[in-house]
RNA sequence: GAGCCGCUAGCUCAGCCAGGUAGAGCAUCGGACUUUUAAUCCGGUGGUCGCAGGUUCGAUUCCUGCGCGGCUCACCA
């Protein structure tokens, strides 16, 4: 028998002992009337003398996190969704409840009834008059001092991570608050929140490799979406002039600290807005989120100070290649030299790339990681932007920006291409480039082109990677720290 | 996919370099204890050292392969 079997067996025996006494170890309900936070808020400032005059009784419930037993009295902590609170129970005043505690284990859920007081060391504590088991725990919790630090266990058994690490809970509370703030910001600007298909016959709107699935009754192959873009723009065509969706995208690519196969994206579209308007809106929206979260514009990420005070730096891609990347114009005009440069950095080139693709290639290698403060990089090559409107000043470029913070791409936006003829040509060129890719069979979304043929108003659209934004605002180094259940290989269990 | 690092009790970690089949703290079990808070004191239980091979009289330790994880790179408009 291994140690865990021993510990669980002991707990099962205690469970049986409790049952023998006619106690239900899994009672159905327990009406609480206070949380730990309530008690702290109401009594945290009171003196011991004031607390003595409290006549109200409070009913709390939570997980038993520690016990310090003194024979005829004991201290323990309970933890609920709002925090931890100490309780004190003594034989003299709690009688049966006291002997009952001895049968419980750390990890069990308990309900307590009592009143607040202060101990000799001045800690706010509940003097317990009644104690009840609410749910038995059969697995031992990690140790009280070091807690749970093993990252693999934290990801695989997130419930344990949440029980043991308040910081983890806090990250996900902040994540929820960030998303709520964004939602409210957009709703206040008359955007309509919508949901579009996760399962799509043609995986469009980005160029990632999709996950494939199958609908049995229809005998239909489908893809999990890599982006909602083409559907959201159909809605703009349909007259929903301001729409947004916050939901999952799925990309069948490698996993890293920046990439999870399913991740959350905000996409929004605003008719009669240009990419210029969206830059301003982005500053306002993210600025608003940062303020709501930290009460200012200053954030520290992994030891780097990031200042979100608007306006943020705006720079064309070419300019960034010159000033940040240190490339001169002669180099930037010479595809052969750029190819050599990229090959020297072990970046794969196939010789077919145009200058535009090569420029974004060296941007990723030499510039991206240096953009620490929020920076809009604007005016991308047409070649790498099949869904964006051309710049009237230079039709080889498009009205597009990407937002970079701490060296990472956080947002991608453009004035949308609404010329159906141009769009069809660009799709066809894309199909030509992708020919022979078995994982990502090229297909043209005919219905999307047809929709454009009905007419789309001039529109600005943007996507923001929510997970990456949350990482920066919660100081998390890995995307797995901001996704409750990140994808891991299945664990191999025992003898199976 | 590649390189590097890790995997020892429920948890957090020693031990491995210089091979002799394992230790600590916490948790847990028994005992003492009515204001502790990493409670304290006394005494116990608990491990196929990630898995499989190899070398060796003998492997947690050395070698090889595999698994899982982490980081970096690659991939990813």
């Amino acid at each position: 028998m291994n140690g865990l079997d021993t510990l669980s067996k002991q707990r099962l025996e205690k469970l049986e002992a409790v049952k023998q006494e006619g106690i239900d170890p899994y009672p159905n309900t327990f009406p609480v009337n206070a949380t730990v936070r309530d008690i702290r808020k109401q009594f945290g400032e009171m003196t011991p003398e004031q607390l003595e005059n409290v006549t109200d009784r409070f009913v709390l419930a939570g997980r038993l996190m520690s016990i310090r037993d003194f024979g005829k009295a004991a201290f323990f902590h309970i933890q609920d969704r709002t925090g931890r609170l100490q309780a004190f129970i003594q034989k003299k005043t709690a009688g049966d409840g006291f002997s009952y505690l001895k049968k419980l284990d750390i990890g069990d859920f308990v309900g307590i009834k009592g009143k607040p007081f202060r101990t000799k060391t001045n800690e706010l504590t509940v003097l317990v008059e009644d104690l009840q088991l609410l749910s038995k725990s059969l697995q031992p919790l990690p140790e009280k001092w070091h807690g749970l630090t093993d990252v693999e266990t934290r990801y695989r058994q997130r419930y344990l991570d949440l029980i043991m690490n308040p910081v983890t809970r806090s990250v996900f509370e902040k994540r929820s608050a960030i998303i709520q703030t964004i939602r409210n910001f957009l709703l206040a600007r008359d955007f309509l929140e919508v949901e579009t298909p996760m399962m799509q016959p043609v995986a469009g709107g980005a160029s990632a490799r999709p996950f494939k699935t199958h609908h049995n009754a229809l005998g239909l192959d489908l893809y999990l979406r890599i982006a909602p873009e083409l559907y959201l723009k159909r809605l703009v065509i349909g007259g929903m002039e301001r729409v947004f969706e916050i939901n999952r995208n799925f990309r069948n690519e490698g996993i890293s600290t920046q990439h999870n196969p399913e991740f959350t994206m905000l996409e929004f579209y605003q008719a009669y807005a240009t990419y210029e308007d969206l830059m301003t809106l982005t500053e306002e929206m993210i600025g608003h989120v940062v303020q709501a979260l930290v009460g200012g514009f200053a954030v520290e990420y992994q030891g780097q100070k990031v200042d979100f005070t608007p306006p943020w730096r705006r720079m064309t891609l070419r300019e960034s290649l010159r000033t940040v990347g240190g490339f001169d114009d002669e180099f930037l005009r010479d595809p052969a030299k750029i190819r050599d440069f990229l090959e020297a950095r072990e970046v794969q080139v196939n010789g077919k790339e145009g200058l535009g693709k090569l420029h974004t290639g060296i941007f990723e290698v030499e510039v991206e990681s240096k953009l620490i403060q929020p920076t809009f990089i604007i005016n991308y090559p047409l070649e790498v932007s099949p869904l964006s409107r051309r710049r009237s000043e230079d039709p080889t470029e498009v009205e597009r920006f990407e937002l970079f913070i701490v060296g990472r791409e956080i947002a991608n936006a453009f004035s949308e291409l609404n010329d159906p003829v141009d769009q069809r040509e660009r799709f066809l060129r894309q199909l030509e480039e992708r020919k022979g890719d078995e994982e990502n069979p090229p297909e043209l979304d005919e219905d999307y082109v047809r929709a454009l043929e009905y007419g789309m108003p001039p529109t600005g659209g943007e996507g923001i990677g929510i997970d990456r934004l949350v990482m920066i605002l919660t100081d998390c180094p890995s995307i797995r720290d901001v996704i409750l259940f990140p994808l891991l290989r299945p664990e191999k269990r025992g003898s199976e």
Side-chain angles (χ1 to χ4, degrees):
Chain A
M1 183 192 297
N2 67 33
L4 183 57
D5 284 343
T6 309
L7 294 170
S8 287
K9 196 174 161 226
Q10 284 169 349
R11 286 179 175 228
L12 278 167
E13 282 164 4
K14 284 186 175 181
L15 176 63
E16 279 311 311
V18 167
K19 281 183 184 168
Q20 287 300 314
E21 293 185 32
I23 294 165
D24 179 1
Y26 300 103
N28 194 5
T29 59
F30 184 79
V32 294
N33 67 12
T35 63
V36 168
R37 184 190 290 138
D38 294 336
I39 300 295
R40 289 202 190 287
K41 205 175 262 179
Q42 198 174 344
F43 304 107
E45 304 299 315
M46 286 194 185
T47 63
E49 293 72 32
Q50 288 171 314
L51 286 173
E52 267 182 39
N53 295 323
V54 172
T55 55
D56 290 340
R57 292 298 181 269
F58 297 89
V59 183
L60 295 94
R63 196 185 283 275
L64 191 55
M65 294 303 290
S66 69
I67 304 175
R68 287 180 295 281
D69 182 3
F70 286 83
K72 293 193 177 67
F75 291 91
F76 57 91
H77 276 105
I78 63 163
Q79 173 173 294
D80 70 11
R81 67 184 184 281
T82 66
R84 275 190 198 187
L85 186 67
Q86 181 172 267
F88 180 60
I89 188 166
Q90 42 189 348
K91 196 172 185 179
K92 192 172 66 189
T93 52
D96 286 348
F98 180 75
S99 55
Y100 194 38
L101 179 69
K102 311 242 173 189
K103 302 185 184 80
L104 300 183
D105 288 299
I106 288 168
D108 290 352
F109 278 91
V110 295
I112 58 173
K113 183 177 144 195
K115 56 166 284 192
F117 78 110
R118 281 194 185 279
T119 62
K120 279 180 183 166
T121 52
N122 207 34
E123 177 160 345
L124 186 65
T125 302
V126 172
L127 183 62
V128 176
E129 295 164 356
D130 207 14
L131 172 75
Q132 190 185 335
L133 174 64
L134 300 181
S135 186
K136 186 68 191 169
S137 166
L138 299 177
Q139 295 273 358
L141 289 178
E143 186 219 333
K144 63 187 169 191
W145 187 240
H146 299 91
L148 180 68
T149 59
D150 181 75
V151 287
E152 185 172 353
T153 308
R154 289 184 46 225
Y155 297 150
R156 284 195 198 282
Q157 296 180 267
R158 186 65 91 180
Y159 43 90
L160 263 191
D161 187 24
L162 288 164
I163 292 167
M164 299 307 297
N165 296 314
V167 170
T168 301
R169 165 184 281 276
S170 159
V171 164
F172 290 102
E173 285 172 350
K174 285 177 183 168
R175 179 179 174 120
S176 174
I178 289 164
I179 291 172
Q180 266 332 305
T181 305
I182 290 172
R183 175 173 282 124
N184 291 336
F185 178 93
L186 291 169
L187 291 174
R189 290 178 175 232
D190 205 24
F191 280 81
L192 183 70
E193 182 168 15
V194 297
E195 293 173 89
T196 60
M198 297 273 180
M199 297 190 289
Q200 305 178 348
V202 180
S207 79
R209 194 168 283 185
F211 288 93
K212 201 173 181 178
T213 186
H214 183 78
H215 188 280
N216 289 338
L218 295 183
L220 180 66
D221 282 341
L222 291 163
Y223 299 96
L224 299 189
R225 74 176 186 194
I226 55 176
E229 171 148 359
L230 302 185
Y231 285 89
L232 290 170
K233 284 194 282 200
R234 282 173 170 93
L235 297 179
V236 176
I237 291 164
M240 293 181 169
E241 293 175 343
R242 298 180 179 200
V243 289
F244 76 98
E245 177 165 9
I246 300 173
N247 225 322
R248 228 66 66 77
N249 287 351
F250 308 86
R251 297 188 181 175
N252 207 340
E253 311 280 0
I255 294 175
S256 77
T257 52
Q258 310 290 317
H259 301 83
N260 193 63
E262 54 177 310
F263 62 101
T264 300
M265 185 84 136
L266 160 68
E267 281 202 16
F268 58 94
Y269 292 82
Q270 179 175 341
Y272 314 112
T274 67
Y275 79 136
E276 300 269 358
D277 300 320
L278 294 188
M279 277 188 265
T280 307
L281 185 145
T282 303
E283 282 168 351
E284 286 173 6
M285 180 165 67
I286 294 182
H288 176 64
V289 168
V290 173
Q291 282 215 298
L293 198 70
V294 307
F297 286 121
V299 169
E300 189 163 316
Y301 183 73
Q302 304 293 297
Q304 296 180 107
K305 291 194 191 321
V306 181
D307 182 2
F308 284 89
T309 308
W312 302 338
R313 188 157 61 144
R314 301 183 186 189
M315 201 189 296
T316 65
L317 180 69
R318 281 196 79 102
E319 193 183 336
S320 78
L321 290 172
R322 279 191 291 259
T323 61
V324 182
F327 300 107
D328 60 39
D329 283 327
E330 195 203 325
F331 178 85
L332 292 174
R333 276 195 297 267
D334 190 337
K337 276 190 185 164
I338 299 177
R339 256 188 214 107
D340 288 346
F341 178 88
L342 286 173
E343 271 172 350
R345 317 266 141 149
E346 291 174 1
V347 178
Q348 288 180 8
V349 285
N350 59 22
K352 288 191 289 187
E353 301 89 353
L355 209 47
K357 177 98 179 158
L358 292 170
H359 282 177
T360 53
I362 53 175
F363 174 84
E364 281 165 25
V365 173
E366 285 295 311
V367 180
E368 186 168 332
S369 65
K370 293 171 184 159
L371 303 176
I372 304 303
Q373 299 306 318
T375 305
F376 293 110
I377 298 297
I378 66 174
N379 299 348
Y380 277 69
L382 177 75
E383 188 187 349
V384 296
S385 315
L387 299 165
S388 313
R389 168 188 291 267
R390 292 174 200 263
R391 295 182 65 222
S392 34
E393 298 87 341
D394 177 358
T396 69
E397 289 186 342
V398 295
E399 291 197 4
R400 172 180 173 190
F401 72 79
E402 291 192 344
L403 170 64
F404 294 88
I405 306 172
V406 296
R408 298 167 192 179
E409 179 190 340
I410 299 299
N412 179 23
F414 32 89
S415 304
E416 302 294 338
L417 174 61
N418 61 351
D419 174 345
V421 176
D422 190 357
Q423 182 68 79
R424 178 182 292 280
E425 282 169 8
R426 292 203 217 170
F427 275 159
L428 288 172
R429 202 169 313 137
Q430 216 177 359
L431 297 191
E432 199 60 36
E433 284 166 16
R434 259 200 244 150
K435 242 179 202 168
D437 184 350
E438 287 178 20
E439 296 284 338
N440 196 0
E443 265 181 279
L444 201 158
D445 191 338
E446 282 291 351
D447 177 69
Y448 176 66
V449 178
R450 175 171 65 180
L452 281 183
E453 286 169 355
Y454 281 93
M456 180 164 82
T459 299
E462 177 165 347
I464 296 181
I466 295 296
D467 311 277
R468 290 181 182 178
L469 181 63
V470 172
M471 283 168 69
I472 291 170
L473 300 184
T474 55
D475 200 17
C476 286
S478 169
I479 198 168
R480 289 178 218 101
D481 297 324
V482 302
I483 292 174
L484 281 166
F485 300 100
L487 186 66
L488 300 179
R489 283 193 172 86
E491 68 186 314
K492 227 173 36 183
R493 304 195 59 181
S495 56
E496 285 171 24

